[in-house]
Amino acid sequence: MAPHPSSALAFPDTGPTDRVDVPDDDYSAADQDALDGPTVATAVVGTPAHVDAEATTDSGHHDAEPSEESSEAEDTEDTEPDSGGSDDDEDDDALGAGTVPVAPAEAAPDAADDADPDAGGDQQAPDDGAAGTIPVAAVLETPPDAAEDDTTAIPVPTKPRRHLLPRHRGVRRALAALAVVVLLLVLVAAPSLLHALTRPGSDTVPARLAEWGRDHGLGSLVTWAEARQYDLDQPATGGAPAGGIPHPSGAVVDRPGGSPAPPPLPAPPGVAPLPGEGQWQTVVSTPHGDAVRLTTVRPDAAHTSFLVGVLWMDPVLVRGVLHPGTEDPGGDWPVPTSVDSTEQRTVVTAFSAGFRMQGDSHGGWYLDGREARPLLPGAASLVLHRDGKADVGAWGSEVGMSPDVVGVRQNLVPLVDHGVVNPTCATGGTAEWGSTVGQAAYINRSAFGVTASGAEIYVGGPALSVCTLGEILRSAGAVRGMELDINPAWVSGAYFHPTGQPRPDAFQLFPDEQVGAQHYLQTSSRDFVSFDLRSVGDATGAGSTPATSQHHVGKHQGSGDKRHP
């Protein structure tokens, strides 16, 4: 086939097959001469070029008016085109009008054998009278630097058919059945998952998903994920806390009266104390004395850049309350699931109560004469009496049920007993310390205990193992104590400046605490313990006088949420 003089590439028509079928006996001499020359036809882009064989006359012209490009090509069929002449300009104008040149395709292989060698490879009708076929091909514009007669026919490759599903019928059926099962599981789980993500409270999305997983048989998977996360992000060792030991944001001046201040906490064994480390600061005071004191220490001699907060509460001036959570234990109870507006007038501290009660806590839950979970003998138990005083001990031996008991929260086994840290703190495993990342992992942990005089102690902070947590609790004066909660999403200690009005100023216990100080002023999904002043009168002016003005954070309208510096 003679290539179009102004083309470098020739493409076969990718649209519907439109061919000009001309019987052999209809060819005239003029027709054959026209085929031998560089005849060019044009077609509108995107529209197949239709040529009616019956419209061809004896003189070789079509009845339809030829396009400008076709006429130009026919008039100059025996001349060499000028690449820079007016013909190219006319072709460009035609292309700009939405047309492309179309050239005759090569002869079919069976017709090529009978073609005249002198015809330059042009197609010649077969001698047996069979119909000759002239395919219409789209021709691209020749680049200026391309050879005019260097035309390459580019076939359109046929893409292999890809099978999205295996061809084997049995495999397809198995995959379809699996898809149905997954869909059913999603439909069944969707309502409970939606509830977990939209329930009231300030729990984070990861915490909600983890709780949902534990409630739906995925506890082992959640624990495994937590362990892998710990392996990838263990707390750093060495270094020093940025800025040293901070002065509490909510520190106030001491007032005479109440219980005497406890002795300072020592620095971790083997390291020298930092300025202010272990020194008690008053954060809530009343006309009758200091109700709440706070100190900060480092967790151990290795993790020296972290800080742990310790609260001390005077049982003469405060009383404890056990609150249920909407999910844990759930149900209807006479005590609200938050520090409501009434309690906010006197609240001084609040903290999370313990592990989940679906089995991780290895214990029970009791409030106002009713068990949400059966109380278990030997379990470490935080007991609240009707007079508001708290106690801790092994259930059935050190503490037990009596008409004076209002609430009981059990969790694991005793951590401190008779002033000694449990010797199994490093070896007890899940049987004693729950299905967690492990008692030796250095993560956020919390604990509660009582001193020999009855004062209540709360410890919370990062980079703590079970053993180092117990050691800090013991060094704070606890003679009996228990571990409460773990992990950054749940270890949350806060203290407040009550004024006798709702929405007191709230403060976090330790630096980088993830749970907000106002967390317990709204609905909580899990149970917690709060301590309140024994009278609204004690709240008048409580915690309102700063110890040093440069450290005091000014109050904000409607409860400020302040971080421990």
Side-chain angles (χ1 to χ4, degrees):
M1 180 186 72
H4 185 267
S6 63
S7 67
L9 297 173
F11 288 88
D13 187 13
T14 58
T17 303
D18 293 291
R19 301 176 181 275
V20 179
D21 299 330
V22 182
D24 289 346
D25 51 357
D26 286 343
Y27 278 107
S28 63
D31 292 333
Q32 188 64 45
D33 292 338
L35 289 174
D36 292 341
T39 303
V40 178
T42 60
V44 178
V45 173
T47 304
H50 295 279
V51 180
D52 190 351
E54 295 179 357
T56 306
T57 63
D58 293 340
S59 60
H61 297 285
H62 301 294
D63 293 338
E65 182 179 353
S67 62
E68 180 180 354
E69 295 79 19
S70 298
S71 299
E72 293 286 51
E74 291 173 357
D75 292 340
T76 60
E77 61 181 356
D78 295 327
T79 63
E80 189 71 13
D82 186 354
S83 60
S86 60
D87 290 330
D88 288 340
D89 295 337
E90 292 175 3
D91 289 341
D92 293 341
D93 293 339
L95 290 172
T99 62
V100 296
V102 178
E106 294 182 359
D110 55 350
D113 295 338
D114 299 329
D116 187 353
D118 298 333
D122 292 337
Q123 180 180 351
Q124 184 175 358
D127 295 337
D128 56 3
T133 302
I134 304 175
V136 179
V139 180
L140 295 177
E141 180 181 353
T142 303
D145 57 349
E148 295 178 348
D149 58 349
D150 185 11
T151 301
T152 303
I154 303 178
V156 177
T158 301
K159 295 182 179 180
R161 185 177 180 181
R162 296 181 179 179
H163 298 275
L164 298 179
L165 294 175
R167 296 185 179 183
H168 194 279
R169 182 176 299 178
V171 176
R172 292 200 301 270
R173 289 179 177 177
L175 290 177
L178 179 61
V180 171
V181 171
V182 172
L183 178 61
L184 291 176
L185 290 176
V186 170
L187 293 176
V188 171
S192 62
L193 180 58
L194 180 63
H195 169 73
L197 295 175
T198 59
R199 70 192 181 202
S202 60
D203 300 338
T204 63
V205 171
R208 292 170 185 257
L209 292 175
E211 300 296 82
W212 180 86
R214 293 188 185 278
D215 289 339
H216 291 79
L218 302 177
S220 298
L221 179 61
V222 173
T223 300
W224 177 86
E226 291 175 346
R228 299 293 76 74
Q229 182 180 11
Y230 174 77
D231 291 340
L232 296 173
D233 189 23
Q234 297 187 28
T237 57
I245 301 298
H247 190 86
S249 297
V252 298
V253 296
D254 293 333
R255 292 188 180 181
S259 301
L265 270 67
V271 297
L274 296 175
E277 185 172 15
Q279 302 297 317
W280 294 102
Q281 302 288 333
T282 301
V283 292
V284 179
S285 63
T286 74
H288 306 290
D290 297 336
V292 182
R293 293 182 172 96
L294 180 151
T295 191
T296 304
V297 294
R298 290 169 291 173
D300 55 38
H303 303 91
T304 51
S305 64
F306 295 91
L307 297 173
V308 177
V310 183
L311 290 172
W312 174 97
M313 292 159 281
D314 187 348
V316 176
L317 300 175
V318 302
R319 57 182 298 123
V321 180
L322 177 62
H323 291 261
T326 58
E327 304 297 322
D328 210 359
D332 296 325
W333 302 90
V335 179
T337 57
S338 67
V339 176
D340 62 10
S341 58
T342 299
E343 188 183 0
Q344 289 174 19
R345 299 163 64 192
T346 57
V347 66
V348 292
T349 63
F351 48 84
S352 54
F355 284 20
R356 293 295 310 278
M357 289 170 22
Q358 87 282 18
D360 289 344
S361 68
H362 298 174
W365 202 90
Y366 171 90
L367 181 63
D368 284 343
R370 179 173 143 216
E371 283 185 346
R373 298 271 180 170
L375 299 175
L376 302 181
S381 305
L382 193 163
V383 180
L384 294 170
H385 297 274
R386 294 195 182 277
D387 62 359
K389 291 184 178 179
D391 201 357
V392 175
W395 188 254
S397 59
E398 295 176 321
V399 294
M401 185 57 67
S402 71
D404 188 49
V405 173
V406 175
V408 180
R409 201 343 171 153
Q410 294 185 327
N411 198 62
L412 309 176
V413 298
L415 177 59
V416 176
D417 199 9
H418 297 93
V420 178
V421 177
N422 193 326
T424 67
C425 64
T427 60
T430 59
E432 293 187 0
W433 307 112
S435 301
T436 67
V437 294
Q439 69 273 358
Y442 294 93
I443 58 175
N444 287 47
R445 298 180 187 268
S446 60
F448 181 82
V450 293
T451 67
S453 64
E456 293 104 356
I457 304 291
Y458 174 80
V459 177
L464 290 165
S465 68
V466 173
C467 292
T468 57
L469 176 69
E471 182 58 32
I472 294 176
L473 188 63
R474 184 204 63 78
S475 65
V479 293
R480 295 184 302 278
M482 58 189 287
E483 183 176 20
L484 295 181
D485 223 333
I486 67 170
N487 291 329
W490 300 113
V491 174
S492 55
Y495 64 94
F496 307 89
H497 282 172
T499 61
Q501 300 296 324
R503 310 298 295 176
D505 282 346
F507 303 84
Q508 292 177 309
L509 176 60
F510 57 91
D512 300 323
E513 187 173 340
Q514 290 190 11
V515 182
Q518 299 185 54
H519 174 77
Y520 298 110
L521 302 185
Q522 53 193 309
T523 300
S524 175
S525 64
R526 292 175 59 169
D527 61 321
F528 65 96
V529 178
S530 64
F531 281 85
D532 309 327
L533 295 177
R534 290 185 174 271
S535 71
V536 177
D538 288 346
T540 303
S544 61
T545 305
T548 51
S549 59
Q550 65 267 28
H551 292 295
H552 181 68
V553 179
K555 298 183 185 302
H556 300 276
Q557 186 68 28
S559 177
D561 187 352
K562 305 176 179 61
R563 289 185 174 272
H564 193 70

